Amino acid sequence: MMKNNTKLELIPDWAKLPESVTLGYTHGVATDSKDRVFVFNMSEHAIAIFDQDGEFLTSWGQAFAEGAHGMHLQQEDDGQEYVYLTDIARNLVAKYTLDGEEILTIGVPPVSGLYPTSEHYKPTDIDVAPNGDIYVVDGYGQYAIHRYDSKGNWLQCWGGKADTKHIFYEPHGIYIDTRPTEPLLYVADRRHQRFVSYRLDGTFVQDYHGDFLLPCDLVAFGDDGFIIPDLNGRITVTDGSFQNAVHTGENPLIWEDSRWPNIPPSEWTKDRFNSPHALCVTRDNHVLVVEWVLNGRITKWKIT
C-alpha cells in the first residue's frame, strides 16, 4: 500500500485563452504524447488544445458544443493517438483523430428494454481496454455499462436501474486500471458515494466505500493508488483500497451556496476548488483539473 502523504501545489494562472475564445462547462481533460493538453467542454471550441505551458493552440469539435462530457485519449496499435468522446445531447459516443477527423460513431445501444427512445441514453464516460474493446457508462440515462468491440459492435451490458445485482445511482465515470496482471474496470458510482470494480467481462469484483462526497471519476496514481475529482469542491488521493484519503483544494460546503456551481469567478479562491469534474496526471508529475462551471475552469497543480 502506498503511504499517502501527497500534496498538490497550485501553479497560478496556467490556462491562457485569447479574447476570441470562450469555453463552456469543462468536462474532460487529457494529454497526448507531445504533452499537449486536450480540454473537452461545452462550446464551439469543444476540443480546446493547449501546450504544456497553458498557451492555447487550436480547437475543433463544434458538433459537441451542447453535449460534451466524457473523454478518453490513448495511443493504439497503429501508432496513432485518438480521442474517444461522449455526447449527452446527441446520445452517442465517437472516436476521432487528434486533429478532428471522425473515425467511428456509435449510437444508442441495441437494448430495446433499456432504450425505447434515444433520449433514454445519456453516456457520461468512456474507456478502452488493452484489446481495443470500448466501454461506455450511461450515467445520466439508464445507469448501465456497455461493452463494444473496437469496430463499435455491441457485445454486452450490465447494470441498469432494474438490475438488482448491479444497482447504480448515477454511475458517472469509468476507468480501466491496467496496473494489475488482469486489468480491472472501476465505476465511480457518484450518488452512492462509492466505487465498484469489475473484470472486463462484467464479473463483479468488489465495491469500495470511503471518504467521498460526489466522486466523478478516478485515475491511477502511484503504484496502486487513485486520484479522484469530487464534484463537491475537492480532489481526493487514496490508496488502492480507497482508504487513507487525503483531500486537496477542499472548499467545504461550497455546494450549499444557492448559486453553485456558477459562483462568480470574482469570488473564487485560487487554491480552492468549486466543482472538479475530471482530471489527468501528466508525465512531468503534475495534475490538470477541469471544473463544472459555466465558462470553464482549468487549473494545473504540481505533485509534491
Side-chain angles (χ1 to χ4, degrees):
M1 291 294 188
M2 75 178 200
K3 295 180 180 179
N4 197 351
N5 55 1
T6 301
K7 295 182 180 179
L8 300 183
E9 178 183 331
L10 177 68
I11 298 173
D13 304 317
W14 177 81
K16 304 166 188 70
L17 284 170
E19 291 185 2
S20 59
V21 175
T22 300
L23 303 185
Y25 289 97
T26 42
H27 282 157
V29 61
T31 58
D32 70 358
S33 61
K34 298 177 181 178
D35 296 322
R36 295 181 301 172
V37 178
F38 290 67
V39 174
F40 198 32
N41 72 98
M42 287 181 166
S43 77
E44 63 178 324
H45 308 280
I47 293 287
I49 306 173
F50 300 81
D51 68 17
Q52 60 184 325
D53 296 319
E55 298 290 344
F56 178 79
L57 298 175
T58 188
S59 69
W60 54 267
Q62 187 175 5
F64 291 90
E66 300 297 324
H69 205 274
M71 176 172 65
H72 172 71
L73 187 155
Q74 75 170 29
Q75 187 174 81
E76 300 192 350
D77 291 341
D78 62 2
Q80 301 298 310
E81 293 176 286
Y82 300 92
V83 284
Y84 291 79
L85 309 169
T86 78
D87 190 315
I88 58 176
R90 293 186 294 152
N91 321 103
L92 57 81
V93 301
K95 175 183 179 180
Y96 281 77
T97 64
L98 297 192
D99 59 2
E101 179 187 351
E102 182 181 308
I103 303 299
L104 176 68
T105 296
I106 306 172
V108 179
V111 188
S112 59
L114 285 178
Y115 303 111
T117 72
S118 62
E119 290 304 307
H120 288 79
Y121 181 54
K122 301 287 183 182
T124 52
D125 203 11
I126 188 167
D127 207 338
V128 181
N131 71 348
D133 284 358
I134 301 165
Y135 292 78
V136 180
V137 60
D138 179 17
Y140 289 162
Q142 298 303 300
Y143 299 170
I145 311 297
H146 295 275
R147 177 187 175 195
Y148 300 84
D149 67 18
S150 61
K151 303 299 184 182
N153 299 304
W154 184 87
L155 299 176
Q156 70 175 124
C157 70
W158 66 92
K161 295 179 178 179
D163 188 335
T164 58
K165 292 183 179 180
H166 306 278
I167 297 176
F168 297 126
Y169 186 14
E170 201 173 86
H172 185 272
I174 56 172
Y175 177 73
I176 296 174
D177 188 3
T178 59
R179 293 172 298 178
T181 302
E182 179 186 10
L184 292 175
L185 183 146
Y186 287 87
V187 180
D189 191 9
R190 190 160 71 176
R191 297 287 170 179
H192 276 152
Q193 301 174 307
R194 66 168 184 164
F195 295 88
V196 189
S197 61
Y198 296 89
R199 295 186 176 90
L200 296 187
D201 64 0
T203 302
F204 170 81
V205 176
Q206 189 174 350
D207 64 347
Y208 308 84
H209 296 265
D211 186 6
F212 311 118
L213 298 172
L214 286 179
C216 287
D217 203 356
L218 71 162
V219 172
F221 191 77
D223 293 336
D224 66 351
F226 296 98
I227 184 166
I228 299 159
D230 195 307
L231 200 67
N232 280 5
R234 66 190 190 184
I235 297 299
T236 299
V237 177
T238 74
D239 62 21
S241 297
F242 295 90
Q243 302 302 307
N244 302 315
V246 170
H247 307 298
T248 292
E250 187 163 15
N251 211 335
L253 303 180
I254 190 171
W255 62 91
E256 293 188 355
D257 188 316
S258 62
R259 302 168 297 170
W260 183 83
N262 294 316
I263 295 168
S266 61
E267 297 182 29
W268 293 351
T269 303
K270 281 193 173 183
D271 60 352
R272 295 289 183 268
F273 291 112
N274 182 81
S275 46
H277 191 273
L279 57 77
C280 70
V281 180
T282 69
R283 294 192 300 174
D284 62 347
N285 217 36
H286 290 78
V287 177
L288 288 156
V289 181
V290 294
E291 300 187 53
W292 176 57
V293 294
L294 182 61
N295 290 322
R297 188 186 188 192
I298 311 162
T299 53
K300 187 173 185 178
W301 303 69
K302 182 178 179 181
I303 302 169
T304 60

